[in-house]
Structures are given as C-alpha cells and as structure tokens.
Amino acid sequence: MKLLCIIFIVQCTIFLASIVGKSSLQPPPFMQKVAMARYVVHQTNWSVISTISKPFDGIPFGNVESFSDGPIGNSSGIPYFYLSPFDFALKDIVQHPQVTATMTLSQTGYCFSKHYDPEDPRCARVTVMGNLVKVTKAKELQFSQHALFSRHPAMKSWPKGHHFAIYKINITAVVALDFFGGADIIPAATYFAAKP
Amino acid sequence: MKLLCIIFIVQCTIFLASIVGKSSLQPPPFMQKVAMARYVVHQTNWSVISTISKPFDGIPFGNVESFSDGPIGNSSGIPYFYLSPFDFALKDIVQHPQVTATMTLSQTGYCFSKHYDPEDPRCARVTVMGNLVKVTKAKELQFSQHALFSRHPAMKSWPKGHHFAIYKINITAVVALDFFGGADIIPAATYFAAKP
C-alpha cells in the first residue's frame, strides 16, 4: 500500500504539473544553474519573504506569501505578489525595502520523488534579492494581475476592504543552489537572459 | 484522470502522513491557535530560516533548512537543525544570532486538499523567533540527533568533512496565523505548555 501510494503520488504529481505548471516536472540539468533558477521561480507559487521586521524590533522575519512570475508557460522571472497593508511584509518595507524571497523544489513533488532531503543541495532552491515595490505601470499591472489571478484564482474574491495591491521584487541578484559545491550568485541581467 | 489523480494524492498524502508524521493529517480547530502552532512545527520537516546576511551586507536573507522538533509523535516544540559551517545561516549568526524560522501547512497536503491558497489565512503558518545556538548538552544532543536522523535518514551519511553540528532555536515567541483576523503572538511559555 505504501509503495503504491508513493508511485501514485509521483505519477499524479507529474500529471498535475503538466496542467498547473510547465509541461513537465523535469527540471533543467544542474549544469544550467541559471535556467534552474528561472525554473524554480516559475514552478513554485508561494515563497517566504524575509524582511527586517518593524513590529519585532529589527529581527529578520519570514512571511509566507503567494506569488506568480507569469501565467503557465510565460515566465517573466519577476515574482509578483498580492499584498494587503495589513501584511507584516508591507509594514516592514517602509523602513527597509530590501527583501529576499526564497523558493525550493521541496514545494513541488520533485525532491520527494528523487528521495532528496530538503537540505540536499540537489533539491534546488533559490533566493531572490531586491526591493519590494508596488507595481504601478498599466502594462505591467495587466500582465502581473493575469500572472497572479491565473495561478491563484481565489485572489479574485479576496476582500476589497483589505486593499490588496500588486507588488514585485526589483531583482538585483539571485542566489541559487542546485548541486554539491555551494551556491552561485547570479546577476540580474544573467538571470533574465535565461530561459526557464 | 485529473480528478482521479487529485483524489489519489489526497488519499495517499493522508496515508503517508500517518506513517511519516502524526497519526492524522487533521490539524486542531483554528480556535486552538497554540496547539495549531505546535502542530505545524511538528508536521513540517523543513523551514526557511531568515537571518541578517553577513555576505550580503545586512539584508534579510532566507535559507532553506531541514529540521525536526522530535521523532514522530514526540514533539518538543523546538526546531533542531543539522548545519554545516559552510551554510550561509551559520556565517550570519556570528554577528546577529536572532533568527526566525517559518513553516506552513502548504508544505503538507492539507491546504491543497482544502483548496486554500497558500496566502489564505486558514492555510496555517508559523514563524518561530529566537537565537540560533549550538546544542551542547549530552541529553539534548541525544534527543535532537534522534529527532533529526529519524525524520531525515539521509543526514546520517552527510560528509564528515562538512562538520555538521546540531543547532536549535532558543524560542522567545512564536507568531501564528491560522484564521481570518490576523496573526497572534504566542509567548514561549504558552507555546511549550500546549500539546501539538
């Protein structure tokens, strides 16, 4: 029964990934670390944003936030968020706009299917750095709203009174780990030039 | 096929949870927020540790780390980690030992099975605050090593040359969100008094 369940979970995860994410759960080979970084950002749909906390006296604080870098198959590489002013993260960025957002393939079925512990370097993870800023330009608002609402349909009905708005990370660099030998720092231009 | 897969994933996740986690995937009711916080910490086995980064000039940085608060069914509430000096987090705590570790039920099958978006307040998440310190006392070393190795069997074979050691968060408070109305700050004594 256990083995049957594991096989089914892997099969179903691959199938579901084909309809909710990209066409396949198969990430790029580890040598293509920049493509891998783009892949992780496109495959996942929530992250932990780390901020310098205002209410908690300047400690580094982790906030769980949904995001999308684009509709399925149309990755921009930019994590877009739908945030309310009630959110800790928005209170924090008033003084310290620089944040990181962290994603890992542990969030998908991949590491589980490969028997990789979440801390195993082959279980690829990415930390995106930059300022968290409000999206204001009309064209980007249109793209980012579709990016978010297509992958988080519930957002459409979130309460108007909470004044949700779209934010993004203005990426300066990305730290990626997907194999033994330590993490790489990827400049923003290199990151955006890659295909996920 | 899609529906069949979703049903199987939920069924198999519940079955697997019964053998790898607690006896059931069913969390406590949302009114029991402290028990929920303990539940989230015991059910999950990796987190994002947020630190004040040393190599990245003081920005808040998110690191993916495996952890365990105890063997299955024996939760201490304390997140124990197995960290190498090569890890960003250990480099960072030399100057700033205060960290947070963030976990969410998005990491289990629960939010998916309830159709909760990861940012939905009912998709319970917890941020644990405190100093990240090395475990040194013999009895706690014994408990924490069993806690980690029983839930992360791969750790036993991680390379000796990386000088992995056991660390824990000395919890001062926990922030928990599991329903509409905002997050609660739970003092450490209240958190430890609850049953997960």
PDB file of all heavy atoms in Angstrom, chain A residues 5 9 12 16 46 50 52 59-62 66 82 98 100 102 117 119 127 152, chain B residues 5 9 12 16 50 52 59-62 66 82 98 100 102 104 117 119 127 152:
ATOM      1  N   CYS A   5       1.094   3.950  -2.973  1.00  0.00           N
ATOM      2  CA  CYS A   5       0.778   5.367  -2.760  1.00  0.00           C
ATOM      3  C   CYS A   5       1.891   6.254  -3.288  1.00  0.00           C
ATOM      4  O   CYS A   5       1.633   7.268  -3.947  1.00  0.00           O
ATOM      5  CB  CYS A   5       0.547   5.650  -1.278  1.00  0.00           C
ATOM      6  SG  CYS A   5      -1.143   5.308  -0.761  1.00  0.00           S
ATOM      7  N   ILE A   9       1.520   8.994  -6.102  1.00  0.00           N
ATOM      8  CA  ILE A   9       1.771  10.414  -5.832  1.00  0.00           C
ATOM      9  C   ILE A   9       2.715  10.983  -6.888  1.00  0.00           C
ATOM     10  O   ILE A   9       2.469  12.041  -7.451  1.00  0.00           O
ATOM     11  CB  ILE A   9       2.362  10.616  -4.415  1.00  0.00           C
ATOM     12  CG1 ILE A   9       1.254  10.520  -3.378  1.00  0.00           C
ATOM     13  CG2 ILE A   9       3.052  11.994  -4.287  1.00  0.00           C
ATOM     14  CD1 ILE A   9       1.688  10.822  -1.965  1.00  0.00           C
ATOM     15  N   CYS A  12       0.885  11.139 -10.247  1.00  0.00           N
ATOM     16  CA  CYS A  12      -0.143  12.178 -10.252  1.00  0.00           C
ATOM     17  C   CYS A  12       0.484  13.564 -10.205  1.00  0.00           C
ATOM     18  O   CYS A  12      -0.009  14.492 -10.835  1.00  0.00           O
ATOM     19  CB  CYS A  12      -1.105  11.987  -9.083  1.00  0.00           C
ATOM     20  SG  CYS A  12      -2.113  10.502  -9.255  1.00  0.00           S
ATOM     21  N   LEU A  16      -0.261  16.378 -12.739  1.00  0.00           N
ATOM     22  CA  LEU A  16      -0.812  17.674 -12.322  1.00  0.00           C
ATOM     23  C   LEU A  16       0.109  18.815 -12.718  1.00  0.00           C
ATOM     24  O   LEU A  16      -0.349  19.881 -13.120  1.00  0.00           O
ATOM     25  CB  LEU A  16      -1.034  17.685 -10.805  1.00  0.00           C
ATOM     26  CG  LEU A  16      -2.279  16.936 -10.330  1.00  0.00           C
ATOM     27  CD1 LEU A  16      -2.315  16.894  -8.811  1.00  0.00           C
ATOM     28  CD2 LEU A  16      -3.546  17.584 -10.872  1.00  0.00           C
ATOM     29  N   TRP A  46       4.392  29.930  -4.098  1.00  0.00           N
ATOM     30  CA  TRP A  46       4.460  30.684  -2.837  1.00  0.00           C
ATOM     31  C   TRP A  46       5.918  30.710  -2.396  1.00  0.00           C
ATOM     32  O   TRP A  46       6.727  29.890  -2.845  1.00  0.00           O
ATOM     33  CB  TRP A  46       3.555  30.090  -1.742  1.00  0.00           C
ATOM     34  CG  TRP A  46       3.903  28.689  -1.314  1.00  0.00           C
ATOM     35  CD1 TRP A  46       3.443  27.528  -1.874  1.00  0.00           C
ATOM     36  CD2 TRP A  46       4.779  28.291  -0.246  1.00  0.00           C
ATOM     37  NE1 TRP A  46       3.972  26.447  -1.229  1.00  0.00           N
ATOM     38  CE2 TRP A  46       4.792  26.876  -0.217  1.00  0.00           C
ATOM     39  CE3 TRP A  46       5.551  28.979   0.691  1.00  0.00           C
ATOM     40  CZ2 TRP A  46       5.550  26.148   0.707  1.00  0.00           C
ATOM     41  CZ3 TRP A  46       6.303  28.254   1.606  1.00  0.00           C
ATOM     42  CH2 TRP A  46       6.286  26.857   1.612  1.00  0.00           C
ATOM     43  N   SER A  50      11.661  37.335   3.360  1.00  0.00           N
ATOM     44  CA  SER A  50      12.363  37.744   4.583  1.00  0.00           C
ATOM     45  C   SER A  50      12.497  39.258   4.587  1.00  0.00           C
ATOM     46  O   SER A  50      12.926  39.856   3.591  1.00  0.00           O
ATOM     47  CB  SER A  50      13.755  37.096   4.645  1.00  0.00           C
ATOM     48  OG  SER A  50      13.638  35.683   4.648  1.00  0.00           O
ATOM     49  N   ILE A  52      13.275  42.922   7.277  1.00  0.00           N
ATOM     50  CA  ILE A  52      13.715  43.437   8.583  1.00  0.00           C
ATOM     51  C   ILE A  52      12.444  43.912   9.285  1.00  0.00           C
ATOM     52  O   ILE A  52      11.792  44.862   8.840  1.00  0.00           O
ATOM     53  CB  ILE A  52      14.698  44.621   8.422  1.00  0.00           C
ATOM     54  CG1 ILE A  52      15.907  44.232   7.572  1.00  0.00           C
ATOM     55  CG2 ILE A  52      15.104  45.179   9.790  1.00  0.00           C
ATOM     56  CD1 ILE A  52      16.946  43.405   8.250  1.00  0.00           C
ATOM     57  N   ILE A  59      14.377  42.368  13.840  1.00  0.00           N
ATOM     58  CA  ILE A  59      14.842  40.993  13.593  1.00  0.00           C
ATOM     59  C   ILE A  59      14.478  40.594  12.158  1.00  0.00           C
ATOM     60  O   ILE A  59      13.554  41.155  11.561  1.00  0.00           O
ATOM     61  CB  ILE A  59      14.236  39.976  14.597  1.00  0.00           C
ATOM     62  CG1 ILE A  59      12.713  39.836  14.418  1.00  0.00           C
ATOM     63  CG2 ILE A  59      14.579  40.357  16.025  1.00  0.00           C
ATOM     64  CD1 ILE A  59      12.145  38.615  15.119  1.00  0.00           C
ATOM     65  N   PRO A  60      15.204  39.637  11.584  1.00  0.00           N
ATOM     66  CA  PRO A  60      14.832  39.153  10.249  1.00  0.00           C
ATOM     67  C   PRO A  60      13.601  38.245  10.368  1.00  0.00           C
ATOM     68  O   PRO A  60      13.616  37.292  11.140  1.00  0.00           O
ATOM     69  CB  PRO A  60      16.065  38.359   9.810  1.00  0.00           C
ATOM     70  CG  PRO A  60      16.752  37.966  11.083  1.00  0.00           C
ATOM     71  CD  PRO A  60      16.415  38.996  12.112  1.00  0.00           C
ATOM     72  N   PHE A  61      12.533  38.576   9.656  1.00  0.00           N
ATOM     73  CA  PHE A  61      11.248  37.907   9.850  1.00  0.00           C
ATOM     74  C   PHE A  61      10.792  37.266   8.538  1.00  0.00           C
ATOM     75  O   PHE A  61      10.847  37.880   7.474  1.00  0.00           O
ATOM     76  CB  PHE A  61      10.204  38.920  10.327  1.00  0.00           C
ATOM     77  CG  PHE A  61       8.945  38.288  10.848  1.00  0.00           C
ATOM     78  CD1 PHE A  61       8.844  37.926  12.184  1.00  0.00           C
ATOM     79  CD2 PHE A  61       7.874  38.026   9.999  1.00  0.00           C
ATOM     80  CE1 PHE A  61       7.687  37.318  12.677  1.00  0.00           C
ATOM     81  CE2 PHE A  61       6.717  37.425  10.479  1.00  0.00           C
ATOM     82  CZ  PHE A  61       6.622  37.075  11.820  1.00  0.00           C
ATOM     83  N   GLY A  62      10.307  36.022   8.607  1.00  0.00           N
ATOM     84  CA  GLY A  62       9.858  35.291   7.414  1.00  0.00           C
ATOM     85  C   GLY A  62       8.347  35.295   7.272  1.00  0.00           C
ATOM     86  O   GLY A  62       7.639  34.916   8.203  1.00  0.00           O
ATOM     87  N   SER A  66       1.971  34.135  -1.312  1.00  0.00           N
ATOM     88  CA  SER A  66       1.747  33.588  -2.649  1.00  0.00           C
ATOM     89  C   SER A  66       2.364  34.523  -3.683  1.00  0.00           C
ATOM     90  O   SER A  66       2.449  35.726  -3.466  1.00  0.00           O
ATOM     91  CB  SER A  66       0.245  33.464  -2.913  1.00  0.00           C
ATOM     92  OG  SER A  66      -0.321  32.510  -2.058  1.00  0.00           O
ATOM     93  N   TYR A  82       0.474  39.695  -4.196  1.00  0.00           N
ATOM     94  CA  TYR A  82      -0.795  40.404  -3.994  1.00  0.00           C
ATOM     95  C   TYR A  82      -0.918  40.621  -2.492  1.00  0.00           C
ATOM     96  O   TYR A  82      -1.234  39.681  -1.749  1.00  0.00           O
ATOM     97  CB  TYR A  82      -1.918  39.529  -4.537  1.00  0.00           C
ATOM     98  CG  TYR A  82      -3.202  40.245  -4.861  1.00  0.00           C
ATOM     99  CD1 TYR A  82      -3.214  41.414  -5.621  1.00  0.00           C
ATOM    100  CD2 TYR A  82      -4.427  39.726  -4.441  1.00  0.00           C
ATOM    101  CE1 TYR A  82      -4.392  42.054  -5.941  1.00  0.00           C
ATOM    102  CE2 TYR A  82      -5.616  40.359  -4.762  1.00  0.00           C
ATOM    103  CZ  TYR A  82      -5.597  41.529  -5.508  1.00  0.00           C
ATOM    104  OH  TYR A  82      -6.777  42.154  -5.828  1.00  0.00           O
ATOM    105  N   GLN A  98      14.523  46.490   1.127  1.00  0.00           N
ATOM    106  CA  GLN A  98      15.280  45.361   0.569  1.00  0.00           C
ATOM    107  C   GLN A  98      14.842  44.057   1.244  1.00  0.00           C
ATOM    108  O   GLN A  98      14.871  43.951   2.477  1.00  0.00           O
ATOM    109  CB  GLN A  98      16.768  45.601   0.767  1.00  0.00           C
ATOM    110  CG  GLN A  98      17.609  44.988  -0.344  1.00  0.00           C
ATOM    111  CD  GLN A  98      19.050  45.492  -0.310  1.00  0.00           C
ATOM    112  OE1 GLN A  98      19.502  46.106   0.658  1.00  0.00           O
ATOM    113  NE2 GLN A  98      19.787  45.233  -1.373  1.00  0.00           N
ATOM    114  N   THR A 100      14.341  39.452   0.622  1.00  0.00           N
ATOM    115  CA  THR A 100      14.602  38.294  -0.231  1.00  0.00           C
ATOM    116  C   THR A 100      13.353  37.414  -0.238  1.00  0.00           C
ATOM    117  O   THR A 100      12.566  37.428   0.716  1.00  0.00           O
ATOM    118  CB  THR A 100      15.816  37.453   0.242  1.00  0.00           C
ATOM    119  OG1 THR A 100      15.634  37.058   1.606  1.00  0.00           O
ATOM    120  CG2 THR A 100      17.112  38.233   0.123  1.00  0.00           C
ATOM    121  N   THR A 102      12.367  33.333  -0.944  1.00  0.00           N
ATOM    122  CA  THR A 102      13.019  32.024  -1.051  1.00  0.00           C
ATOM    123  C   THR A 102      12.020  30.959  -1.493  1.00  0.00           C
ATOM    124  O   THR A 102      10.923  30.861  -0.943  1.00  0.00           O
ATOM    125  CB  THR A 102      13.653  31.659   0.308  1.00  0.00           C
ATOM    126  OG1 THR A 102      14.589  32.679   0.660  1.00  0.00           O
ATOM    127  CG2 THR A 102      14.373  30.316   0.243  1.00  0.00           C
ATOM    128  N   ASP A 117      16.579  14.827   0.480  1.00  0.00           N
ATOM    129  CA  ASP A 117      16.200  15.581   1.663  1.00  0.00           C
ATOM    130  C   ASP A 117      16.067  17.063   1.262  1.00  0.00           C
ATOM    131  O   ASP A 117      16.805  17.526   0.387  1.00  0.00           O
ATOM    132  CB  ASP A 117      17.286  15.419   2.746  1.00  0.00           C
ATOM    133  CG  ASP A 117      16.863  16.044   4.058  1.00  0.00           C
ATOM    134  OD1 ASP A 117      16.185  15.356   4.836  1.00  0.00           O
ATOM    135  OD2 ASP A 117      17.182  17.227   4.303  1.00  0.00           O
ATOM    136  N   GLU A 119      17.259  19.586   2.521  1.00  0.00           N
ATOM    137  CA  GLU A 119      18.543  20.292   2.653  1.00  0.00           C
ATOM    138  C   GLU A 119      19.600  19.750   1.682  1.00  0.00           C
ATOM    139  O   GLU A 119      20.705  20.313   1.600  1.00  0.00           O
ATOM    140  CB  GLU A 119      19.029  20.175   4.108  1.00  0.00           C
ATOM    141  CG  GLU A 119      19.973  21.281   4.535  1.00  0.00           C
ATOM    142  CD  GLU A 119      20.271  21.239   6.039  1.00  0.00           C
ATOM    143  OE1 GLU A 119      19.306  21.162   6.825  1.00  0.00           O
ATOM    144  OE2 GLU A 119      21.449  21.271   6.414  1.00  0.00           O
ATOM    145  N   THR A 127      17.082  32.027  -3.797  1.00  0.00           N
ATOM    146  CA  THR A 127      16.731  33.205  -3.006  1.00  0.00           C
ATOM    147  C   THR A 127      16.908  34.438  -3.891  1.00  0.00           C
ATOM    148  O   THR A 127      17.996  34.688  -4.406  1.00  0.00           O
ATOM    149  CB  THR A 127      17.589  33.301  -1.729  1.00  0.00           C
ATOM    150  OG1 THR A 127      17.330  32.148  -0.910  1.00  0.00           O
ATOM    151  CG2 THR A 127      17.241  34.543  -0.925  1.00  0.00           C
ATOM    152  N   HIS A 152      -3.612  31.824  -8.955  1.00  0.00           N
ATOM    153  CA  HIS A 152      -4.225  31.897  -7.605  1.00  0.00           C
ATOM    154  C   HIS A 152      -5.660  32.395  -7.781  1.00  0.00           C
ATOM    155  O   HIS A 152      -5.967  33.547  -7.436  1.00  0.00           O
ATOM    156  CB  HIS A 152      -3.435  32.863  -6.721  1.00  0.00           C
ATOM    157  CG  HIS A 152      -1.997  32.475  -6.533  1.00  0.00           C
ATOM    158  ND1 HIS A 152      -1.586  31.572  -5.589  1.00  0.00           N
ATOM    159  CD2 HIS A 152      -0.877  32.858  -7.199  1.00  0.00           C
ATOM    160  CE1 HIS A 152      -0.267  31.424  -5.663  1.00  0.00           C
ATOM    161  NE2 HIS A 152       0.189  32.186  -6.635  1.00  0.00           N
TER     162      HIS A 152
ATOM    163  N   CYS B   5      -6.495  11.593 -10.063  1.00  0.00           N
ATOM    164  CA  CYS B   5      -5.173  11.901  -9.507  1.00  0.00           C
ATOM    165  C   CYS B   5      -5.291  12.715  -8.230  1.00  0.00           C
ATOM    166  O   CYS B   5      -4.599  12.449  -7.250  1.00  0.00           O
ATOM    167  CB  CYS B   5      -4.328  12.665 -10.533  1.00  0.00           C
ATOM    168  SG  CYS B   5      -3.476  11.573 -11.679  1.00  0.00           S
ATOM    169  N   ILE B   9      -3.965  11.602  -4.688  1.00  0.00           N
ATOM    170  CA  ILE B   9      -2.935  12.368  -3.980  1.00  0.00           C
ATOM    171  C   ILE B   9      -3.384  12.644  -2.548  1.00  0.00           C
ATOM    172  O   ILE B   9      -2.632  12.448  -1.601  1.00  0.00           O
ATOM    173  CB  ILE B   9      -2.627  13.693  -4.705  1.00  0.00           C
ATOM    174  CG1 ILE B   9      -1.740  13.413  -5.913  1.00  0.00           C
ATOM    175  CG2 ILE B   9      -1.910  14.687  -3.775  1.00  0.00           C
ATOM    176  CD1 ILE B   9      -1.221  14.634  -6.606  1.00  0.00           C
ATOM    177  N   CYS B  12      -3.421   9.360  -0.586  1.00  0.00           N
ATOM    178  CA  CYS B  12      -2.067   8.873  -0.318  1.00  0.00           C
ATOM    179  C   CYS B  12      -1.331   9.793   0.655  1.00  0.00           C
ATOM    180  O   CYS B  12      -0.572   9.327   1.496  1.00  0.00           O
ATOM    181  CB  CYS B  12      -1.270   8.756  -1.621  1.00  0.00           C
ATOM    182  SG  CYS B  12      -1.881   7.448  -2.688  1.00  0.00           S
ATOM    183  N   LEU B  16       0.318   8.551   3.922  1.00  0.00           N
ATOM    184  CA  LEU B  16       1.750   8.753   4.188  1.00  0.00           C
ATOM    185  C   LEU B  16       1.958   9.554   5.471  1.00  0.00           C
ATOM    186  O   LEU B  16       2.875   9.278   6.232  1.00  0.00           O
ATOM    187  CB  LEU B  16       2.416   9.463   3.010  1.00  0.00           C
ATOM    188  CG  LEU B  16       2.696   8.582   1.801  1.00  0.00           C
ATOM    189  CD1 LEU B  16       3.216   9.425   0.650  1.00  0.00           C
ATOM    190  CD2 LEU B  16       3.682   7.476   2.130  1.00  0.00           C
ATOM    191  N   SER B  50      15.259  32.911   8.373  1.00  0.00           N
ATOM    192  CA  SER B  50      15.614  34.270   7.956  1.00  0.00           C
ATOM    193  C   SER B  50      16.707  34.796   8.881  1.00  0.00           C
ATOM    194  O   SER B  50      16.581  34.706  10.104  1.00  0.00           O
ATOM    195  CB  SER B  50      14.389  35.183   8.014  1.00  0.00           C
ATOM    196  OG  SER B  50      13.371  34.694   7.148  1.00  0.00           O
ATOM    197  N   ILE B  52      20.031  37.967   9.297  1.00  0.00           N
ATOM    198  CA  ILE B  52      20.637  39.207   8.782  1.00  0.00           C
ATOM    199  C   ILE B  52      21.930  38.768   8.105  1.00  0.00           C
ATOM    200  O   ILE B  52      22.852  38.280   8.754  1.00  0.00           O
ATOM    201  CB  ILE B  52      20.948  40.197   9.928  1.00  0.00           C
ATOM    202  CG1 ILE B  52      19.692  40.529  10.741  1.00  0.00           C
ATOM    203  CG2 ILE B  52      21.628  41.460   9.387  1.00  0.00           C
ATOM    204  CD1 ILE B  52      18.732  41.483  10.117  1.00  0.00           C
ATOM    205  N   ILE B  59      21.281  42.462   4.513  1.00  0.00           N
ATOM    206  CA  ILE B  59      19.892  42.289   4.057  1.00  0.00           C
ATOM    207  C   ILE B  59      19.284  41.066   4.758  1.00  0.00           C
ATOM    208  O   ILE B  59      20.004  40.164   5.198  1.00  0.00           O
ATOM    209  CB  ILE B  59      19.785  42.120   2.521  1.00  0.00           C
ATOM    210  CG1 ILE B  59      20.463  40.811   2.042  1.00  0.00           C
ATOM    211  CG2 ILE B  59      20.384  43.312   1.798  1.00  0.00           C
ATOM    212  CD1 ILE B  59      20.081  40.438   0.623  1.00  0.00           C
ATOM    213  N   PRO B  60      17.964  41.030   4.881  1.00  0.00           N
ATOM    214  CA  PRO B  60      17.323  39.832   5.451  1.00  0.00           C
ATOM    215  C   PRO B  60      17.337  38.711   4.410  1.00  0.00           C
ATOM    216  O   PRO B  60      16.854  38.899   3.293  1.00  0.00           O
ATOM    217  CB  PRO B  60      15.900  40.307   5.745  1.00  0.00           C
ATOM    218  CG  PRO B  60      15.673  41.460   4.821  1.00  0.00           C
ATOM    219  CD  PRO B  60      17.004  42.092   4.549  1.00  0.00           C
ATOM    220  N   PHE B  61      17.929  37.571   4.766  1.00  0.00           N
ATOM    221  CA  PHE B  61      18.174  36.508   3.778  1.00  0.00           C
ATOM    222  C   PHE B  61      17.472  35.218   4.207  1.00  0.00           C
ATOM    223  O   PHE B  61      17.552  34.820   5.376  1.00  0.00           O
ATOM    224  CB  PHE B  61      19.683  36.262   3.656  1.00  0.00           C
ATOM    225  CG  PHE B  61      20.059  35.430   2.462  1.00  0.00           C
ATOM    226  CD1 PHE B  61      20.289  36.032   1.236  1.00  0.00           C
ATOM    227  CD2 PHE B  61      20.140  34.051   2.552  1.00  0.00           C
ATOM    228  CE1 PHE B  61      20.632  35.270   0.123  1.00  0.00           C
ATOM    229  CE2 PHE B  61      20.475  33.280   1.439  1.00  0.00           C
ATOM    230  CZ  PHE B  61      20.720  33.901   0.220  1.00  0.00           C
ATOM    231  N   GLY B  62      16.807  34.546   3.268  1.00  0.00           N
ATOM    232  CA  GLY B  62      16.077  33.315   3.570  1.00  0.00           C
ATOM    233  C   GLY B  62      16.857  32.074   3.152  1.00  0.00           C
ATOM    234  O   GLY B  62      17.265  31.960   1.991  1.00  0.00           O
ATOM    235  N   SER B  66      16.428  21.881   6.599  1.00  0.00           N
ATOM    236  CA  SER B  66      15.676  20.776   7.186  1.00  0.00           C
ATOM    237  C   SER B  66      15.697  20.915   8.702  1.00  0.00           C
ATOM    238  O   SER B  66      16.652  21.448   9.265  1.00  0.00           O
ATOM    239  CB  SER B  66      16.302  19.436   6.789  1.00  0.00           C
ATOM    240  OG  SER B  66      16.180  19.243   5.398  1.00  0.00           O
ATOM    241  N   TYR B  82      20.496  20.635  11.422  1.00  0.00           N
ATOM    242  CA  TYR B  82      21.796  19.975  11.244  1.00  0.00           C
ATOM    243  C   TYR B  82      22.558  20.809  10.223  1.00  0.00           C
ATOM    244  O   TYR B  82      22.263  20.743   9.015  1.00  0.00           O
ATOM    245  CB  TYR B  82      21.563  18.550  10.748  1.00  0.00           C
ATOM    246  CG  TYR B  82      22.693  17.588  10.963  1.00  0.00           C
ATOM    247  CD1 TYR B  82      23.331  17.473  12.187  1.00  0.00           C
ATOM    248  CD2 TYR B  82      23.092  16.733   9.929  1.00  0.00           C
ATOM    249  CE1 TYR B  82      24.352  16.552  12.386  1.00  0.00           C
ATOM    250  CE2 TYR B  82      24.107  15.802  10.125  1.00  0.00           C
ATOM    251  CZ  TYR B  82      24.733  15.725  11.355  1.00  0.00           C
ATOM    252  OH  TYR B  82      25.740  14.804  11.554  1.00  0.00           O
ATOM    253  N   GLN B  98      19.946  36.345  16.324  1.00  0.00           N
ATOM    254  CA  GLN B  98      18.486  36.289  16.343  1.00  0.00           C
ATOM    255  C   GLN B  98      17.953  35.992  14.936  1.00  0.00           C
ATOM    256  O   GLN B  98      18.279  36.703  13.971  1.00  0.00           O
ATOM    257  CB  GLN B  98      17.922  37.617  16.846  1.00  0.00           C
ATOM    258  CG  GLN B  98      16.627  37.449  17.606  1.00  0.00           C
ATOM    259  CD  GLN B  98      16.243  38.708  18.369  1.00  0.00           C
ATOM    260  OE1 GLN B  98      16.810  39.778  18.179  1.00  0.00           O
ATOM    261  NE2 GLN B  98      15.266  38.583  19.251  1.00  0.00           N
ATOM    262  N   THR B 100      14.471  33.968  12.550  1.00  0.00           N
ATOM    263  CA  THR B 100      13.147  33.345  12.592  1.00  0.00           C
ATOM    264  C   THR B 100      13.148  32.140  11.660  1.00  0.00           C
ATOM    265  O   THR B 100      13.925  32.095  10.693  1.00  0.00           O
ATOM    266  CB  THR B 100      12.017  34.312  12.173  1.00  0.00           C
ATOM    267  OG1 THR B 100      12.292  34.856  10.886  1.00  0.00           O
ATOM    268  CG2 THR B 100      11.862  35.452  13.164  1.00  0.00           C
ATOM    269  N   THR B 102      10.312  29.835   9.480  1.00  0.00           N
ATOM    270  CA  THR B 102       8.920  29.912   9.015  1.00  0.00           C
ATOM    271  C   THR B 102       8.500  28.591   8.383  1.00  0.00           C
ATOM    272  O   THR B 102       9.202  28.044   7.535  1.00  0.00           O
ATOM    273  CB  THR B 102       8.769  31.082   8.021  1.00  0.00           C
ATOM    274  OG1 THR B 102       9.180  32.284   8.679  1.00  0.00           O
ATOM    275  CG2 THR B 102       7.337  31.231   7.545  1.00  0.00           C
ATOM    276  N   THR B 104       4.753  26.350   7.009  1.00  0.00           N
ATOM    277  CA  THR B 104       3.349  26.495   6.610  1.00  0.00           C
ATOM    278  C   THR B 104       2.761  25.130   6.256  1.00  0.00           C
ATOM    279  O   THR B 104       3.487  24.250   5.768  1.00  0.00           O
ATOM    280  CB  THR B 104       3.207  27.448   5.402  1.00  0.00           C
ATOM    281  OG1 THR B 104       1.979  27.180   4.709  1.00  0.00           O
ATOM    282  CG2 THR B 104       4.335  27.299   4.401  1.00  0.00           C
ATOM    283  N   ASP B 117      -5.635  28.721  -0.860  1.00  0.00           N
ATOM    284  CA  ASP B 117      -4.435  29.330  -1.420  1.00  0.00           C
ATOM    285  C   ASP B 117      -3.375  29.415  -0.316  1.00  0.00           C
ATOM    286  O   ASP B 117      -3.724  29.594   0.859  1.00  0.00           O
ATOM    287  CB  ASP B 117      -4.784  30.738  -1.941  1.00  0.00           C
ATOM    288  CG  ASP B 117      -3.623  31.351  -2.691  1.00  0.00           C
ATOM    289  OD1 ASP B 117      -3.489  31.090  -3.894  1.00  0.00           O
ATOM    290  OD2 ASP B 117      -2.810  32.077  -2.052  1.00  0.00           O
ATOM    291  N   GLU B 119      -1.658  31.760   0.639  1.00  0.00           N
ATOM    292  CA  GLU B 119      -1.761  33.016   1.398  1.00  0.00           C
ATOM    293  C   GLU B 119      -3.078  33.115   2.171  1.00  0.00           C
ATOM    294  O   GLU B 119      -3.280  34.075   2.936  1.00  0.00           O
ATOM    295  CB  GLU B 119      -1.605  34.198   0.428  1.00  0.00           C
ATOM    296  CG  GLU B 119      -1.105  35.472   1.085  1.00  0.00           C
ATOM    297  CD  GLU B 119      -0.777  36.557   0.060  1.00  0.00           C
ATOM    298  OE1 GLU B 119      -0.019  36.277  -0.895  1.00  0.00           O
ATOM    299  OE2 GLU B 119      -1.283  37.684   0.197  1.00  0.00           O
ATOM    300  N   THR B 127       5.777  31.431  12.456  1.00  0.00           N
ATOM    301  CA  THR B 127       7.149  31.944  12.435  1.00  0.00           C
ATOM    302  C   THR B 127       7.685  31.912  13.869  1.00  0.00           C
ATOM    303  O   THR B 127       7.117  32.530  14.766  1.00  0.00           O
ATOM    304  CB  THR B 127       7.196  33.369  11.844  1.00  0.00           C
ATOM    305  OG1 THR B 127       6.733  33.311  10.488  1.00  0.00           O
ATOM    306  CG2 THR B 127       8.609  33.912  11.844  1.00  0.00           C
ATOM    307  N   HIS B 152      15.037  12.544   8.938  1.00  0.00           N
ATOM    308  CA  HIS B 152      15.890  12.876   7.785  1.00  0.00           C
ATOM    309  C   HIS B 152      16.985  11.818   7.700  1.00  0.00           C
ATOM    310  O   HIS B 152      18.161  12.110   8.005  1.00  0.00           O
ATOM    311  CB  HIS B 152      16.505  14.270   7.960  1.00  0.00           C
ATOM    312  CG  HIS B 152      15.501  15.366   8.102  1.00  0.00           C
ATOM    313  ND1 HIS B 152      14.926  15.990   7.016  1.00  0.00           N
ATOM    314  CD2 HIS B 152      14.936  15.937   9.202  1.00  0.00           C
ATOM    315  CE1 HIS B 152      14.062  16.906   7.446  1.00  0.00           C
ATOM    316  NE2 HIS B 152      14.049  16.886   8.754  1.00  0.00           N
TER     317      HIS B 152
END
